[in-house]
Amino acid sequence: MKIEISKELYSEFKYLHELLKKSSQKDSACNLSFDTPQELIAYALSSIADGSRRPGSWERGMLESMGLVADCPEHFEYRQTYGKPKDE
């Protein structure tokens, strides 16, 4: 799957990556684990997916703040794997 984002949005992720890289150079305790802006974007997307399947996680808190938690019992059940459960 390929996800396209606007040039403006990509430029913000690129700038955020530069800031994180700059910060990690100043502070050895700050470990930048993203070599590229694309890896940072992938991390952000995986955090959203993790929040969707893991109620109570810090990622779910992010989704709650964004209004991305469905008001149905299924979305409040922990799932070990991504995607719709097989039994549905």
Side-chain angles (χ1 to χ4, degrees):
M1 171 180 221
K2 182 178 179 180
I3 297 174
E4 293 186 29
I5 61 174
S6 68
K7 290 178 184 178
E8 293 82 8
L9 187 57
Y10 180 77
S11 69
E12 186 61 30
F13 276 102
K14 185 176 177 182
Y15 181 57
L16 175 57
H17 180 261
E18 289 173 14
L19 293 175
L20 291 169
K21 194 172 184 178
K22 181 179 177 181
S23 177
S24 70
Q25 290 171 348
K26 288 183 180 179
D27 182 5
S28 62
C30 178
N31 182 16
L32 178 63
S33 59
F34 313 110
D35 293 328
T36 65
Q38 292 86 344
E39 289 179 7
L40 178 59
I41 294 166
Y43 174 70
L45 292 173
S46 68
S47 295
I48 292 170
D50 286 343
S52 179
R53 65 184 186 91
R54 295 175 39 207
S57 66
W58 69 266
E59 297 99 339
R60 175 57 71 104
M62 181 177 61
L63 264 64
E64 289 168 353
S65 296
M66 297 169 67
L68 296 177
V69 177
D71 188 19
C72 60
E74 303 90 61
H75 210 196
F76 290 88
E77 294 177 10
Y78 174 83
R79 291 179 284 118
Q80 285 188 331
T81 59
Y82 295 104
K84 187 175 181 177
K86 301 275 188 243
D87 61 320
E88 290 188 8

Coordinates of all heavy atoms in Angstrom, one line a residue:
M1 N 0.8 -1.2 0.0 CA 0.0 0.0 0.0 C 0.9 1.2 0.0 O 1.9 1.3 0.7 CB -0.9 0.0 1.2 CG -1.6 1.3 1.4 SD -2.7 1.3 2.8 CE -4.1 2.1 2.2
K2 N 0.5 2.2 -0.7 CA 1.2 3.5 -0.8 C 0.3 4.6 -0.3 O -0.9 4.7 -0.7 CB 1.6 3.8 -2.3 CG 2.4 5.0 -2.4 CD 2.8 5.2 -3.9 CE 3.6 6.5 -4.0 NZ 4.0 6.7 -5.4
I3 N 0.8 5.4 0.6 CA 0.0 6.5 1.2 C 0.6 7.8 0.7 O 1.8 8.0 0.8 CB 0.0 6.4 2.7 CG1 -0.7 5.2 3.2 CG2 -0.7 7.7 3.3 CD1 -0.7 4.9 4.6
E4 N -0.2 8.6 0.1 CA 0.3 9.9 -0.3 C -0.1 11.0 0.6 O -1.2 11.0 1.1 CB -0.2 10.2 -1.7 CG 0.3 9.3 -2.8 CD -0.2 9.7 -4.2 OE1 -0.4 10.9 -4.4 OE2 -0.3 8.8 -5.0
I5 N 0.8 11.9 0.9 CA 0.5 13.1 1.7 C 0.9 14.4 1.0 O 1.7 14.3 0.1 CB 1.2 13.0 3.1 CG1 2.7 13.0 3.0 CG2 0.7 11.8 3.9 CD1 3.5 13.1 4.3
S6 N 0.3 15.5 1.4 CA 0.6 16.7 0.7 C 2.1 17.1 0.9 O 2.7 16.7 1.9 CB -0.3 17.8 1.2 OG 0.0 18.2 2.5
K7 N 2.6 17.9 0.0 CA 4.0 18.5 0.2 C 4.1 19.2 1.5 O 5.2 19.1 2.1 CB 4.3 19.3 -1.0 CG 4.5 18.6 -2.3 CD 4.8 19.6 -3.5 CE 4.9 18.8 -4.8 NZ 5.1 19.7 -5.9
E8 N 3.1 20.0 1.8 CA 3.1 20.8 3.0 C 3.2 19.9 4.3 O 4.0 20.1 5.2 CB 1.9 21.7 3.2 CG 1.9 22.8 2.1 CD 1.3 22.3 0.8 OE1 0.8 21.2 0.7 OE2 1.4 23.1 -0.2
L9 N 2.4 18.8 4.3 CA 2.5 17.9 5.4 C 3.8 17.2 5.5 O 4.4 17.1 6.6 CB 1.3 16.9 5.3 CG 1.1 15.9 6.5 CD1 0.9 16.7 7.8 CD2 0.0 15.0 6.2
Y10 N 4.3 16.8 4.4 CA 5.6 16.1 4.3 C 6.7 17.1 4.8 O 7.6 16.7 5.6 CB 6.0 15.6 2.9 CG 7.3 14.9 2.9 CD1 7.5 13.6 3.4 CD2 8.5 15.6 2.4 CE1 8.8 13.0 3.5 CE2 9.7 15.0 2.5 CZ 9.9 13.7 3.0 OH 11.1 13.1 3.0
S11 N 6.6 18.3 4.4 CA 7.7 19.3 4.9 C 7.6 19.4 6.4 O 8.7 19.7 7.0 CB 7.5 20.6 4.2 OG 6.3 21.3 4.6
E12 N 6.5 19.3 7.0 CA 6.4 19.4 8.5 C 7.1 18.2 9.1 O 7.8 18.3 10.1 CB 5.0 19.5 8.9 CG 4.9 19.8 10.4 CD 5.5 21.0 11.0 OE1 5.6 22.0 10.2 OE2 6.0 21.1 12.1
F13 N 6.8 17.0 8.6 CA 7.5 15.8 9.1 C 9.0 15.9 8.9 O 9.8 15.5 9.7 CB 6.9 14.5 8.5 CG 5.7 14.0 9.1 CD1 4.5 14.3 8.6 CD2 5.8 13.3 10.3 CE1 3.3 13.8 9.2 CE2 4.6 12.9 11.0 CZ 3.4 13.1 10.4
K14 N 9.4 16.4 7.8 CA 10.8 16.6 7.5 C 11.5 17.5 8.5 O 12.6 17.3 9.0 CB 11.0 17.1 6.0 CG 12.5 17.2 5.6 CD 12.6 17.6 4.1 CE 14.0 17.8 3.7 NZ 14.1 18.2 2.4
Y15 N 10.8 18.6 8.8 CA 11.3 19.6 9.7 C 11.3 19.0 11.1 O 12.3 19.2 11.9 CB 10.4 20.9 9.7 CG 10.9 21.9 10.7 CD1 12.2 22.5 10.6 CD2 10.0 22.4 11.7 CE1 12.6 23.4 11.5 CE2 10.4 23.4 12.5 CZ 11.7 23.9 12.5 OH 12.1 24.9 13.3
L16 N 10.3 18.3 11.5 CA 10.3 17.6 12.8 C 11.4 16.6 12.9 O 12.1 16.5 14.0 CB 8.9 16.9 13.0 CG 8.8 16.0 14.3 CD1 9.0 16.9 15.6 CD2 7.4 15.4 14.3
H17 N 11.7 15.9 11.9 CA 12.8 15.0 11.9 C 14.1 15.7 12.1 O 15.0 15.3 12.8 CB 12.9 14.2 10.5 CG 14.0 13.2 10.4 ND1 15.1 13.5 9.8 CD2 14.1 12.0 11.0 CE1 15.9 12.5 9.9 NE2 15.4 11.5 10.6
E18 N 14.3 16.9 11.4 CA 15.5 17.7 11.6 C 15.6 18.1 13.0 O 16.7 18.1 13.6 CB 15.5 18.9 10.6 CG 15.6 18.5 9.2 CD 15.4 19.7 8.3 OE1 15.4 20.9 8.8 OE2 15.3 19.5 7.1
L19 N 14.5 18.6 13.6 CA 14.6 19.0 15.0 C 14.9 17.9 16.0 O 15.7 18.1 16.9 CB 13.2 19.6 15.4 CG 12.8 20.9 14.7 CD1 11.4 21.3 15.1 CD2 13.8 22.0 15.0
L20 N 14.4 16.7 15.7 CA 14.7 15.6 16.6 C 16.1 15.2 16.4 O 16.8 14.8 17.4 CB 13.8 14.4 16.2 CG 12.3 14.6 16.6 CD1 11.5 13.5 16.0 CD2 12.2 14.6 18.1
K21 N 16.6 15.2 15.2 CA 18.0 14.9 15.0 C 19.0 15.9 15.7 O 19.9 15.5 16.3 CB 18.3 14.9 13.4 CG 19.5 14.3 13.0 CD 19.6 14.2 11.5 CE 20.8 13.5 11.0 NZ 20.8 13.3 9.6
K22 N 18.6 17.2 15.6 CA 19.4 18.2 16.2 C 19.4 18.0 17.7 O 20.4 18.1 18.4 CB 18.8 19.6 15.9 CG 19.5 20.8 16.4 CD 18.8 22.0 15.9 CE 19.3 23.3 16.5 NZ 18.6 24.5 16.0
S23 N 18.2 17.7 18.3 CA 18.1 17.5 19.7 C 18.9 16.3 20.2 O 19.5 16.3 21.2 CB 16.6 17.3 20.1 OG 16.4 17.0 21.4
S24 N 18.9 15.2 19.4 CA 19.6 14.0 19.8 C 21.1 14.2 19.7 O 21.9 13.6 20.5 CB 19.2 12.8 18.9 OG 19.7 13.0 17.6
Q25 N 21.6 15.2 18.9 CA 23.0 15.5 18.9 C 23.5 16.2 20.1 O 24.6 16.1 20.6 CB 23.3 16.3 17.6 CG 23.2 15.5 16.3 CD 23.3 16.3 15.1 OE1 23.3 17.5 15.1 NE2 23.5 15.7 13.9
K26 N 22.5 17.1 20.7 CA 22.9 17.8 21.9 C 22.8 17.0 23.1 O 23.5 17.2 24.1 CB 21.9 19.0 22.0 CG 22.1 20.1 21.0 CD 21.1 21.2 21.3 CE 21.3 22.4 20.3 NZ 20.3 23.4 20.6
D27 N 21.8 16.1 23.2 CA 21.5 15.3 24.4 C 21.7 13.8 24.0 O 20.9 13.2 23.3 CB 20.1 15.6 24.8 CG 19.7 14.9 26.1 OD1 20.6 14.2 26.7 OD2 18.6 15.0 26.5
S28 N 22.7 13.2 24.6 CA 22.9 11.8 24.3 C 21.8 10.9 24.8 O 21.7 9.8 24.4 CB 24.3 11.3 24.8 OG 24.3 11.5 26.2
A29 N 21.0 11.4 25.8 CA 19.9 10.6 26.3 C 18.7 10.6 25.4 O 17.9 9.7 25.4 CB 19.4 11.2 27.7
C30 N 18.7 11.5 24.4 CA 17.7 11.5 23.4 C 18.2 10.7 22.2 O 19.1 11.1 21.5 CB 17.4 13.0 23.0 SG 16.1 13.1 21.6
N31 N 17.6 9.6 22.0 CA 18.0 8.6 21.0 C 17.1 8.7 19.8 O 15.9 8.2 19.9 CB 18.1 7.2 21.5 CG 18.6 6.2 20.5 OD1 19.2 6.6 19.5 ND2 18.4 5.0 20.8
L32 N 17.5 9.3 18.7 CA 16.7 9.4 17.5 C 16.8 8.1 16.8 O 17.8 7.6 16.3 CB 17.2 10.5 16.6 CG 16.4 10.7 15.3 CD1 15.0 11.0 15.5 CD2 17.1 11.7 14.4
S33 N 15.6 7.4 16.7 CA 15.6 6.1 16.0 C 15.1 6.1 14.6 O 14.8 5.1 14.0 CB 14.8 5.1 16.9 OG 13.5 5.5 17.0
F34 N 14.9 7.3 14.1 CA 14.4 7.5 12.7 C 15.4 8.1 11.8 O 15.9 9.2 12.1 CB 13.1 8.4 12.7 CG 12.1 8.1 13.8 CD1 12.0 8.9 14.9 CD2 11.4 6.9 13.7 CE1 11.0 8.6 15.9 CE2 10.5 6.6 14.7 CZ 10.3 7.4 15.8
D35 N 15.8 7.3 10.9 CA 16.9 7.8 9.9 C 16.4 8.7 8.9 O 17.1 9.5 8.3 CB 17.6 6.6 9.3 CG 18.4 5.7 10.3 OD1 18.9 6.3 11.2 OD2 18.5 4.5 10.0
T36 N 15.1 8.6 8.6 CA 14.5 9.4 7.6 C 13.1 10.0 8.0 O 12.5 9.4 8.9 CB 14.2 8.6 6.3 OG1 13.3 7.6 6.6 CG2 15.5 8.0 5.8
P37 N 12.6 11.0 7.4 CA 11.3 11.5 7.7 C 10.2 10.4 7.4 O 9.2 10.3 8.1 CB 11.1 12.7 6.7 CG 12.4 13.1 6.4 CD 13.3 11.9 6.4
Q38 N 10.5 9.5 6.4 CA 9.5 8.5 6.1 C 9.4 7.5 7.3 O 8.3 7.0 7.5 CB 10.0 7.7 4.8 CG 9.9 8.5 3.5 CD 11.1 9.4 3.3 OE1 12.0 9.6 4.2 NE2 11.2 9.8 2.1
E39 N 10.5 7.2 7.9 CA 10.4 6.3 9.1 C 9.6 7.0 10.2 O 8.9 6.3 11.0 CB 11.8 5.9 9.6 CG 12.5 5.0 8.6 CD 13.9 4.7 9.1 OE1 14.3 5.1 10.2 OE2 14.7 4.0 8.3
L40 N 9.8 8.3 10.4 CA 9.0 9.0 11.4 C 7.5 9.0 11.1 O 6.7 8.7 12.0 CB 9.5 10.5 11.4 CG 8.7 11.4 12.4 CD1 8.8 10.9 13.8 CD2 9.3 12.8 12.3
I41 N 7.1 9.1 9.8 CA 5.7 9.0 9.4 C 5.2 7.6 9.6 O 4.1 7.4 10.1 CB 5.6 9.4 7.9 CG1 5.9 10.9 7.7 CG2 4.2 9.1 7.4 CD1 6.1 11.3 6.3
A42 N 6.0 6.6 9.3 CA 5.6 5.2 9.6 C 5.3 5.0 11.1 O 4.4 4.3 11.4 CB 6.6 4.2 9.0
Y43 N 6.2 5.6 11.9 CA 6.0 5.4 13.4 C 4.7 6.1 13.8 O 3.9 5.5 14.6 CB 7.2 6.1 14.1 CG 7.0 6.1 15.6 CD1 7.1 4.9 16.3 CD2 6.8 7.3 16.2 CE1 6.9 5.0 17.7 CE2 6.7 7.3 17.6 CZ 6.7 6.2 18.3 OH 6.6 6.2 19.7
A44 N 4.4 7.3 13.3 CA 3.2 8.0 13.6 C 1.9 7.1 13.2 O 1.0 7.0 14.0 CB 3.1 9.4 13.0
L45 N 2.0 6.6 12.0 CA 0.9 5.7 11.5 C 0.7 4.4 12.4 O -0.4 4.0 12.7 CB 1.0 5.4 10.1 CG 0.9 6.6 9.1 CD1 1.2 6.2 7.7 CD2 -0.5 7.2 9.2
S46 N 1.8 3.8 12.7 CA 1.8 2.6 13.5 C 1.2 2.9 14.9 O 0.5 2.1 15.5 CB 3.1 1.9 13.6 OG 4.0 2.6 14.3
S47 N 1.5 4.1 15.4 CA 1.0 4.5 16.8 C -0.5 4.6 16.7 O -1.2 4.2 17.7 CB 1.6 5.8 17.2 OG 3.0 5.7 17.4
I48 N -1.0 5.1 15.6 CA -2.5 5.2 15.5 C -3.1 3.9 15.4 O -4.1 3.6 16.1 CB -2.9 6.1 14.2 CG1 -2.5 7.5 14.4 CG2 -4.3 5.9 13.9 CD1 -2.6 8.4 13.2
A49 N -2.5 3.0 14.6 CA -3.0 1.6 14.5 C -2.9 0.9 15.9 O -3.9 0.2 16.3 CB -2.3 0.8 13.5
D50 N -1.8 1.1 16.6 CA -1.7 0.4 17.9 C -2.8 1.0 18.9 O -3.3 0.2 19.7 CB -0.3 0.6 18.5 CG 0.7 -0.2 17.8 OD1 0.4 -1.2 17.1 OD2 1.9 0.1 17.9
G51 N -3.0 2.2 18.8 CA -4.1 2.8 19.7 C -5.4 2.3 19.4 O -6.3 2.2 20.3
S52 N -5.7 1.9 18.2 CA -7.0 1.4 17.8 C -7.2 0.0 18.4 O -8.3 -0.3 18.7 CB -7.1 1.3 16.2 OG -8.3 0.8 15.9
R53 N -6.2 -0.8 18.5 CA -6.4 -2.1 19.0 C -6.0 -2.3 20.5 O -6.1 -3.4 21.0 CB -5.6 -3.1 18.1 CG -4.1 -3.0 18.2 CD -3.4 -3.9 17.2 NE -2.0 -3.8 17.4 CZ -1.2 -4.6 18.2 NH1 -1.8 -5.5 18.9 NH2 0.1 -4.4 18.3
R54 N -5.5 -1.3 21.1 CA -5.0 -1.4 22.5 C -5.6 -0.4 23.4 O -5.0 0.6 23.8 CB -3.5 -1.3 22.6 CG -2.8 -2.4 21.8 CD -1.3 -2.3 21.8 NE -0.7 -1.8 23.0 CZ 0.4 -1.1 23.0 NH1 1.1 -0.9 21.9 NH2 0.9 -0.7 24.2
P55 N -6.9 -0.6 23.9 CA -7.5 0.3 24.9 C -6.6 0.5 26.1 O -6.0 -0.5 26.6 CB -8.8 -0.3 25.3 CG -9.1 -1.3 24.1 CD -7.7 -1.7 23.6
G56 N -6.5 1.7 26.6 CA -5.6 1.9 27.8 C -4.2 2.3 27.5 O -3.5 2.7 28.4
S57 N -3.8 2.1 26.3 CA -2.4 2.4 26.0 C -2.2 3.9 25.8 O -3.2 4.7 25.6 CB -2.0 1.7 24.7 OG -2.7 2.2 23.6
W58 N -1.0 4.4 25.7 CA -0.7 5.8 25.5 C -1.2 6.2 24.1 O -1.7 7.3 23.8 CB 0.7 6.2 25.7 CG 1.7 5.6 24.7 CD1 2.4 4.5 24.9 CD2 2.1 6.2 23.5 NE1 3.2 4.3 23.7 CE2 3.0 5.3 22.9 CE3 1.7 7.3 22.8 CZ2 3.6 5.5 21.6 CZ3 2.3 7.6 21.5 CH2 3.2 6.7 21.0
E59 N -1.1 5.2 23.2 CA -1.5 5.5 21.8 C -3.0 5.7 21.7 O -3.5 6.5 21.0 CB -1.1 4.3 20.9 CG 0.4 4.1 20.7 CD 0.9 2.9 21.6 OE1 0.2 2.6 22.6 OE2 1.9 2.4 21.3
R60 N -3.8 4.9 22.6 CA -5.3 5.1 22.6 C -5.6 6.5 23.1 O -6.5 7.2 22.6 CB -5.9 4.1 23.5 CG -7.4 4.2 23.7 CD -8.2 4.2 22.4 NE -8.3 3.0 21.8 CZ -9.3 2.2 21.8 NH1 -10.4 2.5 22.4 NH2 -9.3 1.0 21.2
G61 N -4.8 7.0 24.1 CA -5.0 8.4 24.6 C -4.9 9.4 23.5 O -5.6 10.4 23.4
M62 N -3.9 9.2 22.6 CA -3.8 10.0 21.4 C -5.0 10.0 20.5 O -5.5 11.0 20.1 CB -2.5 9.6 20.6 CG -2.2 10.4 19.4 SD -0.6 9.9 18.6 CE -1.0 8.3 18.1
L63 N -5.5 8.8 20.3 CA -6.7 8.6 19.4 C -7.9 9.3 20.1 O -8.7 9.9 19.4 CB -7.0 7.2 19.2 CG -6.5 6.6 17.8 CD1 -5.0 6.6 17.8 CD2 -7.0 5.3 17.6
E64 N -8.0 9.2 21.4 CA -9.1 9.8 22.1 C -9.1 11.3 21.9 O -10.1 12.0 21.7 CB -9.1 9.4 23.6 CG -9.5 8.0 23.8 CD -9.2 7.5 25.3 OE1 -8.6 8.3 26.0 OE2 -9.6 6.4 25.6
S65 N -7.9 11.9 22.0 CA -7.7 13.3 21.9 C -8.1 13.8 20.5 O -8.6 14.9 20.3 CB -6.3 13.7 22.1 OG -5.9 13.5 23.5
M66 N -7.9 12.9 19.5 CA -8.2 13.2 18.1 C -9.6 12.9 17.7 O -10.1 13.1 16.6 CB -7.2 12.4 17.2 CG -5.8 12.8 17.4 SD -4.6 11.7 16.5 CE -5.0 12.0 14.8
G67 N -10.4 12.3 18.6 CA -11.8 11.9 18.3 C -11.9 10.7 17.4 O -12.8 10.6 16.6
L68 N -10.9 9.8 17.5 CA -10.9 8.6 16.6 C -11.2 7.3 17.3 O -10.7 6.2 16.9 CB -9.5 8.5 15.9 CG -9.1 9.7 15.0 CD1 -7.7 9.5 14.5 CD2 -10.1 9.8 13.9
V69 N -12.0 7.3 18.4 CA -12.4 6.1 19.0 C -13.9 5.9 18.8 O -14.7 6.8 19.1 CB -12.1 6.2 20.5 CG1 -12.6 4.9 21.2 CG2 -10.6 6.3 20.8
A70 N -14.2 4.8 18.1 CA -15.6 4.5 17.8 C -16.4 4.2 19.1 O -15.9 3.5 20.0 CB -15.6 3.3 16.9
D71 N -17.6 4.6 19.1 CA -18.4 4.4 20.3 C -19.2 3.1 20.1 O -20.4 3.1 19.9 CB -19.4 5.6 20.5 CG -20.2 5.5 21.8 OD1 -19.8 4.8 22.7 OD2 -21.2 6.2 21.9
C72 N -18.5 2.0 20.2 CA -19.1 0.7 20.1 C -18.2 -0.3 20.9 O -17.0 -0.1 21.1 CB -19.2 0.2 18.6 SG -17.6 0.1 17.8
P73 N -18.8 -1.4 21.4 CA -18.1 -2.3 22.3 C -16.8 -2.9 21.7 O -15.8 -3.1 22.3 CB -19.1 -3.4 22.6 CG -20.4 -2.8 22.3 CD -20.2 -1.7 21.3
E74 N -16.9 -3.2 20.4 CA -15.7 -3.8 19.7 C -14.5 -3.0 19.8 O -13.4 -3.5 19.8 CB -16.0 -4.0 18.2 CG -17.3 -4.9 17.9 CD -18.5 -4.0 17.8 OE1 -18.5 -3.2 16.9 OE2 -19.4 -4.2 18.6
H75 N -14.6 -1.7 19.8 CA -13.4 -0.8 19.8 C -12.8 -0.7 21.2 O -11.8 0.0 21.4 CB -13.7 0.6 19.2 CG -12.6 1.2 18.6 ND1 -12.5 2.5 18.3 CD2 -11.4 0.7 18.2 CE1 -11.3 2.8 17.7 NE2 -10.6 1.7 17.6
F76 N -13.5 -1.3 22.2 CA -12.9 -1.2 23.6 C -12.4 -2.6 24.0 O -12.2 -2.8 25.2 CB -14.0 -0.7 24.5 CG -14.3 0.7 24.3 CD1 -15.2 1.2 23.4 CD2 -13.6 1.7 25.0 CE1 -15.5 2.5 23.2 CE2 -13.8 3.1 24.8 CZ -14.7 3.5 23.9
E77 N -12.2 -3.5 23.0 CA -11.7 -4.8 23.3 C -10.2 -4.8 22.8 O -9.9 -4.4 21.7 CB -12.5 -5.9 22.6 CG -13.9 -6.0 23.1 CD -14.7 -7.1 22.4 OE1 -14.1 -7.8 21.6 OE2 -15.9 -7.1 22.6
Y78 N -9.3 -5.4 23.6 CA -7.9 -5.5 23.2 C -7.8 -6.6 22.1 O -8.5 -7.6 22.1 CB -7.1 -6.0 24.4 CG -5.7 -6.3 24.0 CD1 -4.7 -5.3 23.9 CD2 -5.2 -7.6 23.7 CE1 -3.4 -5.5 23.6 CE2 -3.9 -7.9 23.4 CZ -3.0 -6.8 23.3 OH -1.7 -7.1 22.9
R79 N -7.0 -6.3 21.1 CA -6.7 -7.2 20.0 C -5.2 -7.4 19.9 O -4.5 -6.4 19.8 CB -7.3 -6.7 18.7 CG -8.8 -6.7 18.7 CD -9.4 -6.2 17.4 NE -9.3 -4.7 17.3 CZ -8.6 -4.0 16.4 NH1 -8.0 -4.6 15.5 NH2 -8.6 -2.7 16.5
Q80 N -4.8 -8.6 19.7 CA -3.4 -8.9 19.6 C -2.9 -8.6 18.2 O -1.7 -8.3 18.0 CB -3.1 -10.4 19.9 CG -3.1 -10.7 21.4 CD -2.6 -12.1 21.6 OE1 -2.7 -13.0 20.8 NE2 -2.0 -12.3 22.8
T81 N -3.7 -8.7 17.2 CA -3.3 -8.5 15.8 C -4.0 -7.3 15.2 O -5.1 -6.9 15.7 CB -3.6 -9.8 15.0 OG1 -5.0 -10.1 15.0 CG2 -2.8 -11.0 15.5
Y82 N -3.5 -6.9 14.1 CA -4.1 -5.8 13.4 C -5.3 -6.2 12.5 O -5.3 -7.4 12.1 CB -3.1 -5.1 12.5 CG -1.9 -4.4 13.2 CD1 -0.7 -5.0 13.3 CD2 -2.1 -3.2 13.9 CE1 0.4 -4.4 14.0 CE2 -1.1 -2.6 14.6 CZ 0.2 -3.2 14.6 OH 1.2 -2.6 15.3
G83 N -6.2 -5.3 12.3 CA -7.3 -5.6 11.4 C -8.5 -6.2 12.1 O -8.5 -6.4 13.3
K84 N -9.6 -6.4 11.3 CA -10.8 -6.9 11.9 C -10.6 -8.4 12.4 O -10.0 -9.2 11.7 CB -11.9 -6.9 10.8 CG -13.2 -7.3 11.2 CD -14.2 -7.2 10.1 CE -15.6 -7.5 10.5 NZ -16.6 -7.3 9.5
P85 N -11.1 -8.7 13.6 CA -10.9 -10.1 14.1 C -11.6 -11.1 13.1 O -12.6 -10.8 12.4 CB -11.7 -10.1 15.4 CG -11.7 -8.6 15.8 CD -11.8 -7.9 14.5
K86 N -11.0 -12.3 13.0 CA -11.4 -13.3 12.0 C -12.8 -13.8 12.3 O -13.5 -14.2 11.4 CB -10.4 -14.5 12.1 CG -9.0 -14.1 11.7 CD -8.8 -14.1 10.3 CE -7.3 -13.9 9.9 NZ -7.0 -12.7 9.2
D87 N -13.2 -13.8 13.6 CA -14.5 -14.4 13.9 C -15.7 -13.5 13.6 O -16.8 -13.9 13.8 CB -14.6 -14.8 15.4 CG -14.4 -13.7 16.3 OD1 -13.5 -12.8 16.0 OD2 -15.0 -13.6 17.4
E88 N -15.5 -12.3 13.0 CA -16.6 -11.4 12.7 C -17.0 -11.6 11.2 O -16.2 -11.8 10.4 CB -16.2 -10.0 13.0 CG -16.1 -9.7 14.5 CD -15.9 -8.3 14.8 OE1 -16.0 -7.4 13.9 OE2 -15.7 -8.0 15.9

